[in-house]
């Protein structure tokens, strides 16, 4: 793929789902790449408006000359990143990378007070270490299964699936403050992160059994693993 085609594929929404996820993850972890992509986007807009002009302003020419080596370097990094990610990931890790998204704050968090309010504020700010400490503090309080759910997700965000799984498994069926099906979804993803496919499938069966935001995705994964 040519350099221009790679950028245009992403900006035009033509990348495959798996490549788009990896590309966006790279941009999120490396803000300088996002800045370079923004520069390329602006250059495309600028040159698109001036296609009939044979004499671009010197500023645009300088920008283009500066962009080319950076874009080439970015292409090399991206190709290496895609190849490394694809070749080094286990099947379970690929499923985790494809399907994992941070769970949004539900009504329970919006209306929370005290320690719970501080926990959700830290969670929203992506300070998962601080949020985990608050959720751990309130998990033993009455009707606090929601704290177990978000504590487990915090552990996943911190790269600790081995700590997330036992917490998420504690949420009972028909809990008034947390969905067992949603908890099982993240439990399954934790198992996938550890490449424990059989246990992940077992957790997904709970998610797939009843209506919930992840039921369709759970069924899709189960079909792909059969």
């Amino acid at each position: 793929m040519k350099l221009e085609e790679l950028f245009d594929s992403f900006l035009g929404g033509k990348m495959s789902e798996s490549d788009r996820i990896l590309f966006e993850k790279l941009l999120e972890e490396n803000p300088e790449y996002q800045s370079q992509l923004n520069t390329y986007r602006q250059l495309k807009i600028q040159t698109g408006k001036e296609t009939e002009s044979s004499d671009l302003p010197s500023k645009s020419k300088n920008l283009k000359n500066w962009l080319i080596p950076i874009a080439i370097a970015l292409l090399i990094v991206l190709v290496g990143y895609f190849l490394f990610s694809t070749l080094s990931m286990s099947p379970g890790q690929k499923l985790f990378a494809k399907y994992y998204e941070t769970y949004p704050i539900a009504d329970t968090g919006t209306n929370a007070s005290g320690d719970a309010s501080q926990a959700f504020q830290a969670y929203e700010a992506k300070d998962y270490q601080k949020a985990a400490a608050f959720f751990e503090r309130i998990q033993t309080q009455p009707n606090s299964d929601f704290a177990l759910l978000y504590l487990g997700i915090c552990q996943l965000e911190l790269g600790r699936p081995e700590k997330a799984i036992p917490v998420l498994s504690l949420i009972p069926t028909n809990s008034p403050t947390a969905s067992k099906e949603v908890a099982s979804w993240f439990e399954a993803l934790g198992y996938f992160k550890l490449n424990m496919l059989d246990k992940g499938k077992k957790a997904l069966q709970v998610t797939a059994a009843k209506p919930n935001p992840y039921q369709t995705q759970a069924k899709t994964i189960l079909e792909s693993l059969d």
Side-chain angles (χ1 to χ4, degrees):
M1 178 180 286
K2 294 182 180 180
L3 178 62
E4 294 84 357
E5 292 175 348
L6 177 67
F7 289 123
D8 290 340
S9 178
F10 176 74
L11 295 174
K14 298 178 181 178
M15 264 189 182
S16 68
E17 182 69 11
S18 58
D19 284 354
R20 182 187 62 79
I21 291 172
L22 291 173
F23 193 11
E24 290 179 345
K25 194 174 185 66
L26 177 66
L27 294 176
E28 181 179 350
E29 294 175 352
N30 299 272
E32 65 273 19
Y33 296 155
Q34 179 67 65
S35 176
Q36 292 163 11
L37 181 64
N38 291 340
T39 301
Y40 179 80
R41 181 188 290 111
Q42 292 301 317
L43 180 62
K44 290 288 290 183
I45 294 173
Q46 182 70 16
T47 55
K49 291 179 178 179
E50 300 179 3
T51 52
E52 296 183 0
S53 174
S54 59
D55 186 18
L56 292 173
S58 59
K59 184 176 181 180
S60 294
K61 290 182 179 179
N62 291 336
L63 177 61
K64 187 173 183 179
N65 291 335
W66 169 81
L67 176 64
I68 289 174
I70 292 180
I72 293 173
L74 177 58
L75 176 62
I76 294 172
V77 171
L78 287 175
V79 171
Y81 180 83
F82 292 152
L83 288 176
F84 176 80
S85 299
T86 301
L87 295 176
S88 65
M89 280 185 177
S90 66
Q93 289 170 335
K94 289 178 182 178
L95 286 171
F96 182 90
K98 181 176 181 178
Y99 286 99
Y100 181 82
E101 291 183 357
T102 306
Y103 189 60
I105 296 177
D107 292 340
T108 303
T110 305
N111 301 320
S113 60
D115 285 344
S117 177
Q118 295 185 67
F120 282 112
Q121 288 177 19
Y123 185 88
E124 187 173 23
K126 301 185 184 301
D127 188 346
Y128 299 110
Q129 189 73 46
K130 182 178 180 181
F134 278 111
F135 285 127
E136 191 167 6
R137 184 185 303 175
I138 63 179
Q139 64 176 313
T140 57
Q141 297 176 8
N143 296 321
S144 60
D145 290 333
F146 70 89
L148 293 171
L149 174 60
Y150 284 95
L151 174 59
I153 295 170
C154 285
Q155 297 294 0
L156 288 176
E157 290 285 350
L158 293 168
R160 304 167 183 168
E162 72 283 354
K163 292 187 176 182
I165 291 168
V167 171
L168 294 165
S169 66
L170 292 175
I171 297 175
T173 303
N174 299 324
S175 168
T177 61
S179 167
K180 178 65 174 178
E181 291 72 33
V182 170
S184 293
W185 167 256
F186 287 102
E187 182 182 348
L189 291 176
Y191 279 124
F192 290 149
K193 183 75 171 178
L194 297 171
N195 203 38
M196 301 172 71
L197 297 182
D198 288 341
K199 290 188 175 181
K201 286 172 62 176
K202 187 175 180 180
L204 278 186
Q205 289 169 358
V206 177
T207 304
K210 295 181 180 179
N212 67 86
Y214 304 105
Q215 185 182 36
T216 300
Q217 290 172 296
K219 290 181 177 179
T220 298
I221 296 175
L222 287 171
E223 290 175 1
S224 71
L225 292 176
D226 286 339

